[in-house]
Amino acid sequence: MAEQTGGRARTGSGRSLPKSHRTRERILDAAARVLGSKGYAGTRLQDVAAEAGIQAPAIYYYFGSRDELIAEVMYVGAHRVRGHVADVLAGLPAETGAMDRILAAVEAHLRYELLISDYTTASVRNAGQVPDAVRERAVAEETAYSHMWRDLFEHAHADGELRADLDLNLTRFLILGAMNWAAEWWDPKHRTLDDLVASTQTLVLHGLGRH
């Protein structure tokens, strides 16, 4: 079940949020699904409205333009995958080794991108399609996320768990790029997500690790 926001729209006191807020979240959920499947050029507000079960003109009450809506989806996708992976890492036992932390991050990223979040799938698939202005907020999140991975690799290198001849920056970009590209080709009818996670972890462990 892909992550959505509208169905979980609750305040801290347990009360439902206002209808206008729930409608806005339903529009965002619908836009994430449409953007992820049809891409930036193919995303029409009419399709988003149909997916959300509202009239198309109602979208303009919440978002000033198609690009403003898409920009929000892109930002949410980048923000949430960063938060999810950070939460997974924070939940690991304190004695977890640096390489095991990288492997945990690999699994968290792939599962979130491909199974949990329509937003992150849409963000990853459209990163190279949308105009710079639409990506502006998402880019800041992507940069922070890249820095998180930089720290993971640097710690593993300092602990002697990575090959000494690796260029850490190139390695980071290659691994993140390969995982993001999986959104374009992975088909659960041919390979399970467990298979994909295990293969990626094996590639990282034996391609990057000292042993």
PDB file of all heavy atoms in Angstrom, residues 53-69:
ATOM      1  N   GLY A  53     -11.213  12.739  -7.340  1.00  0.00           N
ATOM      2  CA  GLY A  53     -12.668  12.751  -7.209  1.00  0.00           C
ATOM      3  C   GLY A  53     -13.258  14.133  -7.001  1.00  0.00           C
ATOM      4  O   GLY A  53     -14.242  14.289  -6.271  1.00  0.00           O
ATOM      5  N   ILE A  54     -12.651  15.135  -7.634  1.00  0.00           N
ATOM      6  CA  ILE A  54     -13.155  16.498  -7.525  1.00  0.00           C
ATOM      7  C   ILE A  54     -13.232  17.111  -8.919  1.00  0.00           C
ATOM      8  O   ILE A  54     -12.787  16.509  -9.902  1.00  0.00           O
ATOM      9  CB  ILE A  54     -12.240  17.372  -6.643  1.00  0.00           C
ATOM     10  CG1 ILE A  54     -10.835  17.480  -7.284  1.00  0.00           C
ATOM     11  CG2 ILE A  54     -12.140  16.816  -5.230  1.00  0.00           C
ATOM     12  CD1 ILE A  54      -9.931  18.475  -6.584  1.00  0.00           C
ATOM     13  N   GLN A  55     -13.783  18.307  -9.017  1.00  0.00           N
ATOM     14  CA  GLN A  55     -13.803  19.046 -10.272  1.00  0.00           C
ATOM     15  C   GLN A  55     -12.463  19.756 -10.455  1.00  0.00           C
ATOM     16  O   GLN A  55     -11.890  20.290  -9.497  1.00  0.00           O
ATOM     17  CB  GLN A  55     -14.947  20.063 -10.276  1.00  0.00           C
ATOM     18  CG  GLN A  55     -16.337  19.432 -10.198  1.00  0.00           C
ATOM     19  CD  GLN A  55     -16.640  18.571 -11.410  1.00  0.00           C
ATOM     20  OE1 GLN A  55     -16.407  18.978 -12.546  1.00  0.00           O
ATOM     21  NE2 GLN A  55     -17.152  17.373 -11.155  1.00  0.00           N
ATOM     22  N   ALA A  56     -11.973  19.797 -11.677  1.00  0.00           N
ATOM     23  CA  ALA A  56     -10.658  20.378 -11.945  1.00  0.00           C
ATOM     24  C   ALA A  56     -10.506  21.818 -11.446  1.00  0.00           C
ATOM     25  O   ALA A  56      -9.458  22.171 -10.882  1.00  0.00           O
ATOM     26  CB  ALA A  56     -10.338  20.289 -13.434  1.00  0.00           C
ATOM     27  N   PRO A  57     -11.506  22.699 -11.624  1.00  0.00           N
ATOM     28  CA  PRO A  57     -11.332  24.082 -11.154  1.00  0.00           C
ATOM     29  C   PRO A  57     -11.089  24.187  -9.645  1.00  0.00           C
ATOM     30  O   PRO A  57     -10.494  25.170  -9.186  1.00  0.00           O
ATOM     31  CB  PRO A  57     -12.649  24.757 -11.549  1.00  0.00           C
ATOM     32  CG  PRO A  57     -13.141  23.966 -12.719  1.00  0.00           C
ATOM     33  CD  PRO A  57     -12.759  22.545 -12.396  1.00  0.00           C
ATOM     34  N   ALA A  58     -11.517  23.181  -8.890  1.00  0.00           N
ATOM     35  CA  ALA A  58     -11.338  23.231  -7.433  1.00  0.00           C
ATOM     36  C   ALA A  58      -9.866  23.186  -7.054  1.00  0.00           C
ATOM     37  O   ALA A  58      -9.481  23.660  -5.970  1.00  0.00           O
ATOM     38  CB  ALA A  58     -12.079  22.071  -6.777  1.00  0.00           C
ATOM     39  N   ILE A  59      -9.020  22.641  -7.917  1.00  0.00           N
ATOM     40  CA  ILE A  59      -7.596  22.562  -7.610  1.00  0.00           C
ATOM     41  C   ILE A  59      -7.003  23.954  -7.412  1.00  0.00           C
ATOM     42  O   ILE A  59      -6.121  24.161  -6.578  1.00  0.00           O
ATOM     43  CB  ILE A  59      -6.849  21.805  -8.724  1.00  0.00           C
ATOM     44  CG1 ILE A  59      -7.295  20.338  -8.744  1.00  0.00           C
ATOM     45  CG2 ILE A  59      -5.332  21.905  -8.533  1.00  0.00           C
ATOM     46  CD1 ILE A  59      -6.674  19.518  -9.865  1.00  0.00           C
ATOM     47  N   TYR A  60      -7.514  24.927  -8.172  1.00  0.00           N
ATOM     48  CA  TYR A  60      -6.953  26.274  -8.108  1.00  0.00           C
ATOM     49  C   TYR A  60      -7.250  26.982  -6.783  1.00  0.00           C
ATOM     50  O   TYR A  60      -6.646  28.010  -6.485  1.00  0.00           O
ATOM     51  CB  TYR A  60      -7.483  27.113  -9.270  1.00  0.00           C
ATOM     52  CG  TYR A  60      -6.892  26.690 -10.603  1.00  0.00           C
ATOM     53  CD1 TYR A  60      -7.648  25.950 -11.504  1.00  0.00           C
ATOM     54  CD2 TYR A  60      -5.587  27.009 -10.945  1.00  0.00           C
ATOM     55  CE1 TYR A  60      -7.114  25.546 -12.726  1.00  0.00           C
ATOM     56  CE2 TYR A  60      -5.038  26.609 -12.150  1.00  0.00           C
ATOM     57  CZ  TYR A  60      -5.808  25.877 -13.035  1.00  0.00           C
ATOM     58  OH  TYR A  60      -5.272  25.480 -14.230  1.00  0.00           O
ATOM     59  N   TYR A  61      -8.141  26.426  -5.993  1.00  0.00           N
ATOM     60  CA  TYR A  61      -8.386  26.971  -4.663  1.00  0.00           C
ATOM     61  C   TYR A  61      -7.193  26.674  -3.742  1.00  0.00           C
ATOM     62  O   TYR A  61      -6.916  27.430  -2.803  1.00  0.00           O
ATOM     63  CB  TYR A  61      -9.662  26.359  -4.075  1.00  0.00           C
ATOM     64  CG  TYR A  61      -9.979  26.818  -2.672  1.00  0.00           C
ATOM     65  CD1 TYR A  61     -10.581  28.051  -2.426  1.00  0.00           C
ATOM     66  CD2 TYR A  61      -9.668  26.014  -1.571  1.00  0.00           C
ATOM     67  CE1 TYR A  61     -10.861  28.472  -1.134  1.00  0.00           C
ATOM     68  CE2 TYR A  61      -9.938  26.421  -0.278  1.00  0.00           C
ATOM     69  CZ  TYR A  61     -10.536  27.660  -0.064  1.00  0.00           C
ATOM     70  OH  TYR A  61     -10.806  28.073   1.222  1.00  0.00           O
ATOM     71  N   TYR A  62      -6.491  25.575  -4.051  1.00  0.00           N
ATOM     72  CA  TYR A  62      -5.398  25.122  -3.195  1.00  0.00           C
ATOM     73  C   TYR A  62      -4.016  25.363  -3.811  1.00  0.00           C
ATOM     74  O   TYR A  62      -3.040  25.548  -3.079  1.00  0.00           O
ATOM     75  CB  TYR A  62      -5.555  23.619  -2.913  1.00  0.00           C
ATOM     76  CG  TYR A  62      -6.869  23.280  -2.263  1.00  0.00           C
ATOM     77  CD1 TYR A  62      -7.965  22.906  -3.031  1.00  0.00           C
ATOM     78  CD2 TYR A  62      -7.031  23.364  -0.882  1.00  0.00           C
ATOM     79  CE1 TYR A  62      -9.187  22.595  -2.438  1.00  0.00           C
ATOM     80  CE2 TYR A  62      -8.240  23.057  -0.275  1.00  0.00           C
ATOM     81  CZ  TYR A  62      -9.318  22.683  -1.063  1.00  0.00           C
ATOM     82  OH  TYR A  62     -10.520  22.396  -0.472  1.00  0.00           O
ATOM     83  N   PHE A  63      -3.953  25.351  -5.133  1.00  0.00           N
ATOM     84  CA  PHE A  63      -2.677  25.514  -5.827  1.00  0.00           C
ATOM     85  C   PHE A  63      -2.864  26.481  -6.994  1.00  0.00           C
ATOM     86  O   PHE A  63      -3.807  26.338  -7.780  1.00  0.00           O
ATOM     87  CB  PHE A  63      -2.150  24.171  -6.335  1.00  0.00           C
ATOM     88  CG  PHE A  63      -1.932  23.158  -5.245  1.00  0.00           C
ATOM     89  CD1 PHE A  63      -2.913  22.233  -4.941  1.00  0.00           C
ATOM     90  CD2 PHE A  63      -0.753  23.159  -4.512  1.00  0.00           C
ATOM     91  CE1 PHE A  63      -2.724  21.311  -3.928  1.00  0.00           C
ATOM     92  CE2 PHE A  63      -0.553  22.241  -3.493  1.00  0.00           C
ATOM     93  CZ  PHE A  63      -1.547  21.310  -3.194  1.00  0.00           C
ATOM     94  N   GLY A  64      -1.952  27.440  -7.095  1.00  0.00           N
ATOM     95  CA  GLY A  64      -2.126  28.490  -8.091  1.00  0.00           C
ATOM     96  C   GLY A  64      -1.932  28.047  -9.522  1.00  0.00           C
ATOM     97  O   GLY A  64      -2.391  28.712 -10.455  1.00  0.00           O
ATOM     98  N   SER A  65      -1.224  26.926  -9.713  1.00  0.00           N
ATOM     99  CA  SER A  65      -0.948  26.464 -11.068  1.00  0.00           C
ATOM    100  C   SER A  65      -0.590  24.987 -11.038  1.00  0.00           C
ATOM    101  O   SER A  65      -0.337  24.404  -9.969  1.00  0.00           O
ATOM    102  CB  SER A  65       0.216  27.255 -11.684  1.00  0.00           C
ATOM    103  OG  SER A  65       1.426  26.965 -10.992  1.00  0.00           O
ATOM    104  N   ARG A  66      -0.545  24.397 -12.205  1.00  0.00           N
ATOM    105  CA  ARG A  66      -0.097  23.008 -12.340  1.00  0.00           C
ATOM    106  C   ARG A  66       1.317  22.852 -11.813  1.00  0.00           C
ATOM    107  O   ARG A  66       1.616  21.898 -11.081  1.00  0.00           O
ATOM    108  CB  ARG A  66      -0.176  22.604 -13.813  1.00  0.00           C
ATOM    109  CG  ARG A  66       0.502  21.290 -14.186  1.00  0.00           C
ATOM    110  CD  ARG A  66       0.349  21.054 -15.678  1.00  0.00           C
ATOM    111  NE  ARG A  66       1.099  19.907 -16.141  1.00  0.00           N
ATOM    112  CZ  ARG A  66       2.363  19.928 -16.546  1.00  0.00           C
ATOM    113  NH1 ARG A  66       3.039  21.088 -16.547  1.00  0.00           N
ATOM    114  NH2 ARG A  66       2.955  18.836 -16.965  1.00  0.00           N
ATOM    115  N   ASP A  67       2.208  23.779 -12.150  1.00  0.00           N
ATOM    116  CA  ASP A  67       3.589  23.664 -11.703  1.00  0.00           C
ATOM    117  C   ASP A  67       3.722  23.817 -10.195  1.00  0.00           C
ATOM    118  O   ASP A  67       4.594  23.190  -9.576  1.00  0.00           O
ATOM    119  CB  ASP A  67       4.461  24.706 -12.407  1.00  0.00           C
ATOM    120  CG  ASP A  67       4.930  24.227 -13.779  1.00  0.00           C
ATOM    121  OD1 ASP A  67       4.598  23.085 -14.160  1.00  0.00           O
ATOM    122  OD2 ASP A  67       5.617  25.000 -14.477  1.00  0.00           O
ATOM    123  N   GLU A  68       2.888  24.631  -9.595  1.00  0.00           N
ATOM    124  CA  GLU A  68       2.934  24.769  -8.135  1.00  0.00           C
ATOM    125  C   GLU A  68       2.550  23.454  -7.469  1.00  0.00           C
ATOM    126  O   GLU A  68       3.152  23.048  -6.465  1.00  0.00           O
ATOM    127  CB  GLU A  68       1.986  25.878  -7.688  1.00  0.00           C
ATOM    128  CG  GLU A  68       2.024  26.142  -6.185  1.00  0.00           C
ATOM    129  CD  GLU A  68       1.099  27.261  -5.764  1.00  0.00           C
ATOM    130  OE1 GLU A  68       1.022  28.278  -6.481  1.00  0.00           O
ATOM    131  OE2 GLU A  68       0.431  27.115  -4.706  1.00  0.00           O
ATOM    132  N   LEU A  69       1.556  22.780  -8.015  1.00  0.00           N
ATOM    133  CA  LEU A  69       1.142  21.481  -7.484  1.00  0.00           C
ATOM    134  C   LEU A  69       2.256  20.448  -7.653  1.00  0.00           C
ATOM    135  O   LEU A  69       2.587  19.717  -6.707  1.00  0.00           O
ATOM    136  CB  LEU A  69      -0.123  21.018  -8.210  1.00  0.00           C
ATOM    137  CG  LEU A  69      -0.611  19.587  -7.922  1.00  0.00           C
ATOM    138  CD1 LEU A  69      -0.903  19.399  -6.449  1.00  0.00           C
ATOM    139  CD2 LEU A  69      -1.852  19.284  -8.770  1.00  0.00           C
TER     140      LEU A  69
END
